[in-house]
Amino acid sequence: MRHEDAPEPAARPVDRAAIESDRLRAAVLDARMARQWPVVEHNLAMVYPDSAPELVADLRRIVADHVGARPDELFLRDLSREADPGWFLRPSTIGYVAYTDLFGSTLQGVGDHLDHLSELSVDYLHLMPLLRARGGANDGGYAVAAYDEVEPRLGTMRDLAGLSERLHARDMNLCIDLVVNHTAREHPWALRARVGDPEFRDYYLFFPDRTMPDRYEQTLLEVFPTFAPGNFSWLPDREEWVWTTFNDYQWDLNWASPDVFRSMLKVMLHLADIGIDVLRLDAAPFIWKREGTVCQNLPEVHALLCALRALMAIAAPATVFKAEAIVPPHELTAYLGAGDPPRHECDLAYNNQLMVLLWSSLATGDAALMSNALRRLQPIPSHATWVNYVRCHDDIGWAVTDEDAASVGWDGVDHREFLNRFFSGEFPTSFARGAMFQFNPLTGDGRISGTAASLCGIELALASGDELHLALALRRLELIYAVVYSFGGVPLLYMGDEFAVRNDDSYLLDPAKADDNRWMHRPAMDWSLAERRSIADSLEGKAFEIFVALGRDRSRLGALDGAQPSSVLDLHDARVFAFTRLHPLAGSFVMVANFSNQTAQVSFESVGMSGEATVERATGAHLESGGLRLEPMAYAWLTD
Ligand code: OTU
């Protein structure tokens, strides 16, 4: 007891704000745990039956500590994103994909070009691999040597955080790649595993002889059959084999080890604290292996992704996942959580089907295959959506199933072969100027490289100096992008397409790139093109204007909200692709697109529109008694 005369103890200042913040964080953590923990436990018990309880206890500590230590700004961002979990569904979400060095030299340089993105209504920037990669050949940065460092020539982690802040200040989001299937063989985990450190031996898949590799190879596919045949690489110093699905310098991680799971979660949390909004999970389908299968899309892959997502939803819900799963249509929708019951898995996934079918339709002048295949695609949960694109940094693999081809009376093998011949420019009437990538004479499979503009005929038309052909080629580019901007989900504009850039063969001079012709469609941004766009009638000006208008018109159309599915219509005219979207508040939306070289007629009635329908955007479409007349490659966006 204090004596009456004793001096008052110095009042310890009470940091009310800190107490309130701790209480808030504790309450928020409890609520997230209550919702997500059963998901974590359920999925991990499936994947790691023997070590689940210890792992789960450990993860609980990791995420709880993370919530406590999350930077204030990002904790607030978590809260606002939890209040608006479908932020990426809005029509105003428009993506742009670029290489940091090729677009702005460095991360700081990228930050100086944000006005360019704003002009295009872009609010989602995907920067291609930027974590520190191995020196020399590194598969465009997909051979990561350090997850916690930025590639030095691009900047530092601090620059990355700075760019994220600059983007957030403009209401833009940042997406980066996280390679989950493999690391570079120079990554510290790999270096330690290679010298026999028992803690890291389990991070990769080593085999003393060919017994197991040969058994696996019976059912495995080859991703890079020409420059990286087989799925295993020999390590002469250790006299053993290591699993390498891609190049020999990319070692597959062994996700069967709980240590890999724990380490990758920590990598994700670290990137979340840098302010990354979307993690593009590279090569996700490959992270689980089982003998007798192709070792892609196994149930464990989905369980792992669901567990990781639930953990992120506790620790850093402002960061969402985008699946990079370029897989057959019946395997694709599961990455968005489709199934019975639907799950929360990835929030976004590449719509490889739509991409492939758009090119197929351009080549054949016929949209029936696209209509049938898209109609057959399993519906996706409304909390997730597609990322739609026509080109990316990779090649185009012809994921047209035999079944879908048969639905229009075509043979799958023949059609895929036709597409390769067409887009490599070999087919006599082809307008495309692409190149074969990874042609495998044993299987007859091949894929296609080339920029969107070159594949659309712009390169050929420029070479022939034919103005009419050039106009038609530009129409093709606009047509397929107009589908991508309205089909439902986040459209991605691939760097350079806004100026219709053509193939670039300068990669041939760089020995680290020369054997990989995907570099032909990864040219450096030529900012002088940006100046040419003000020249009336320049190709750059016309192309740029198309993308400005597509972005502007998409953003203002409420019916394009990604939560609503698109339904493909059957107009009994194979030349015309048509789909409708119904929005509870904004009404209905229809797109009609003529993929043929002939004029086509579409009545409003046939697409479920009244005579009062509004033409929101159109190119080459003319109003005509009760409908539209569509010139070759013409399209219209309608609302009612
Ligand atoms: C991805 O692509 C990247 O997009 C490529 O640029 C990389 O080379 C590769 O991973 C390795 O990191 O097979 O032909 O289903 O299709 O992971 C490209 C996913 C690929 C695979 C995909 C891969």
Side-chain angles (χ1 to χ4, degrees):
M1 236 175 110
R2 192 169 62 86
H3 190 269
E4 292 281 296
D5 301 329
E8 289 275 338
R12 189 168 304 151
V14 176
D15 188 344
R16 291 227 159 267
I19 292 175
E20 289 307 316
S21 162
D22 287 349
R23 281 171 38 126
L24 174 64
R25 287 181 191 233
V28 164
L29 175 63
D30 281 351
R32 291 179 187 159
M33 281 285 196
R35 174 170 277 262
Q36 304 293 350
W37 209 250
V39 180
V40 175
E41 285 183 326
H42 171 81
N43 286 290
L44 293 183
M46 169 191 167
V47 183
Y48 304 115
D50 302 331
S51 41
E54 294 137 60
L55 177 64
V56 161
D58 215 12
L59 296 172
R60 188 184 268 273
R61 266 193 307 277
I62 294 174
V63 291
D65 290 352
H66 196 261
V67 171
R70 184 101 157 124
D72 285 338
E73 271 310 302
L74 291 170
F75 180 69
L76 273 181
R77 198 167 174 86
D78 288 338
L79 297 183
S80 63
R81 288 273 144 109
E82 279 180 311
D84 179 24
W87 59 270
F88 46 79
L89 300 170
R90 277 197 285 275
S92 57
T93 307
I94 297 176
Y96 188 89
V97 192
Y99 284 90
T100 302
D101 53 349
L102 303 177
F103 181 75
S105 304
T106 61
L107 288 168
Q108 292 201 12
V110 168
D112 299 334
H113 285 296
L114 300 185
D115 285 344
H116 176 71
L117 302 183
S118 296
E119 267 188 272
L120 294 161
S121 304
V122 164
D123 75 346
Y124 169 121
L125 174 61
H126 170 200
L127 289 178
M128 296 298 294
L130 49 73
L131 300 178
R132 187 162 69 75
R134 73 190 294 271
N138 59 31
D139 190 21
Y142 287 106
V144 176
Y147 287 115
D148 54 356
E149 285 171 50
V150 164
E151 179 65 36
R153 63 198 167 82
L154 306 178
T156 61
M157 272 293 173
R158 194 183 286 264
D159 294 333
L160 185 58
L163 177 62
S164 153
E165 274 170 31
R166 282 172 86 174
L167 288 164
H168 291 172
R170 289 185 176 229
D171 274 333
M172 291 179 170
N173 301 284
L174 181 58
C175 168
I176 69 164
D177 282 83
L178 177 61
V179 188
V180 289
N181 178 64
H182 45 270
T183 71
R185 66 180 174 215
E186 289 78 7
H187 189 283
W189 301 338
L191 292 175
R192 292 178 68 176
R194 195 164 186 160
V195 296
D197 184 335
E199 206 188 320
F200 291 91
R201 284 296 288 170
D202 245 15
Y203 271 56
Y204 299 90
L205 296 142
F206 298 106
F207 305 92
D209 54 42
R210 282 299 304 184
T211 316
M212 284 313 292
D214 285 344
R215 283 165 62 172
Y216 281 114
E217 284 288 13
Q218 307 213 330
T219 48
L220 287 173
L221 308 173
E222 280 180 312
V223 182
F224 298 142
T226 66
F227 54 64
N231 288 276
F232 301 87
S233 300
W234 173 244
L235 304 176
D237 52 326
R238 294 208 48 100
E239 305 214 324
E240 62 183 353
W241 294 88
V242 62
W243 196 309
T244 54
T245 300
F246 297 89
N247 292 289
D248 60 354
Y249 53 75
Q250 290 163 303
W251 288 11
D252 286 45
L253 285 162
N254 173 28
W255 280 81
S257 157
D259 293 338
V260 167
F261 185 92
R262 196 187 291 103
S263 295
M264 283 307 274
L265 174 68
K266 287 184 183 164
V267 167
M268 290 178 172
L269 294 176
H270 178 64
L271 294 172
D273 278 359
I274 300 292
I276 305 302
D277 301 289
V278 181
L279 289 173
R280 173 192 179 279
L281 305 182
D282 182 68
F286 298 84
I287 64 175
W288 198 265
K289 331 281 190 196
R290 181 176 299 121
E291 197 192 334
T293 72
V294 290
C295 297
Q296 290 188 46
N297 314 308
L298 290 169
E300 286 84 351
V301 171
H302 297 290
L304 287 167
L305 294 176
C306 285
L308 285 166
R309 188 197 180 278
L311 289 160
M312 293 297 280
I314 296 168
T319 305
V320 303
F321 287 169
K322 173 166 65 170
E324 193 265 331
I326 310 305
V327 298
H330 66 278
E331 303 280 12
L332 189 55
T333 51
Y335 288 88
L336 290 175
D340 193 14
R343 294 156 295 116
H344 278 277
E345 191 168 314
C346 292
D347 309 84
L348 300 165
Y350 286 86
N351 194 344
N352 177 50
Q353 271 296 285
L354 180 66
M355 184 274 287
V356 164
L357 294 160
L358 285 168
W359 291 109
S360 167
S361 306
L362 280 187
T364 57
D366 182 322
L369 173 63
M370 171 154 66
S371 301
N372 287 357
L374 291 176
R375 237 184 260 124
R376 252 213 279 271
L377 205 58
Q378 192 186 9
I380 55 170
S382 60
H383 57 251
T385 197
W386 295 113
V387 166
N388 295 317
Y389 64 116
V390 308
R391 286 303 287 117
C392 69
H393 69 293
D394 276 331
D395 49 287
I396 305 175
W398 301 112
V400 174
T401 66
D402 292 343
E403 200 188 358
D404 287 336
S407 77
V408 289
W410 298 343
D411 176 78
V413 175
D414 288 351
H415 185 55
R416 291 188 293 269
E417 194 200 304
F418 160 74
L419 292 170
N420 275 330
R421 294 185 58 217
F422 190 91
F423 285 104
S424 60
E426 218 182 274
F427 193 77
T429 58
S430 172
F431 50 75
R433 284 295 173 266
M436 279 282 249
F437 176 70
Q438 301 292 322
F439 177 71
N440 184 345
L442 288 178
T443 58
D445 288 339
R447 284 119 71 186
I448 288 291
S449 287
T451 70
S454 289
L455 298 180
C456 279
I458 291 176
E459 187 174 320
L460 182 64
L462 286 172
S464 69
D466 186 323
E467 284 296 322
L468 273 177
H469 279 165
L470 183 60
L472 193 61
L474 196 57
R475 282 265 179 105
R476 290 189 194 103
L477 183 68
E478 177 172 359
L479 178 69
I480 55 178
Y481 261 111
V483 175
V484 155
Y485 269 63
S486 58
F487 190 70
V490 181
L492 286 188
L493 170 53
Y494 184 66
M495 179 182 120
D497 286 353
E498 72 271 43
F499 298 130
V501 302
R502 277 82 61 205
N503 298 334
D504 176 359
D505 59 12
S506 59
Y507 73 96
L508 292 168
L509 301 172
D510 180 344
K513 296 179 176 167
D515 69 350
D516 186 342
N517 72 14
R518 290 177 297 174
W519 288 101
M520 73 197 281
H521 53 254
R522 301 169 182 172
M525 184 62 127
D526 174 356
W527 287 105
S528 70
L529 296 180
E531 281 147 33
R532 279 183 55 81
R533 73 173 191 256
S534 49
I535 304 175
D537 272 352
S538 66
L539 172 63
E540 291 76 15
K542 286 182 195 158
F544 194 76
E545 184 42 46
I546 288 171
F547 288 99
V548 169
L550 282 173
R552 185 190 57 219
D553 289 340
R554 169 183 158 90
S555 312
R556 67 177 176 80
L557 290 175
L560 296 183
D561 187 296
Q564 315 302 326
S566 285
S567 312
V568 175
L569 299 169
D570 186 1
L571 301 188
H572 305 290
D573 182 343
R575 300 168 302 176
V576 180
F577 177 61
F579 62 88
T580 179
R581 312 174 56 80
L582 196 57
H583 189 274
L585 306 176
S588 61
F589 170 95
V590 164
M591 178 175 186
V592 291
N594 178 11
F595 277 83
S596 78
N597 282 328
Q598 299 140 21
T599 301
Q601 258 89 19
V602 174
S603 72
F604 287 136
E605 203 191 341
S606 68
V607 294
M609 292 256 135
S610 72
E612 324 284 72
T614 311
V615 179
E616 300 284 357
R617 171 163 187 80
T619 294
H622 308 276
L623 277 173
E624 235 180 41
S625 58
L628 293 169
R629 177 168 53 84
L630 299 170
E631 294 171 13
M633 306 299 141
Y635 73 92
W637 287 359
L638 310 168
T639 58
D640 211 353

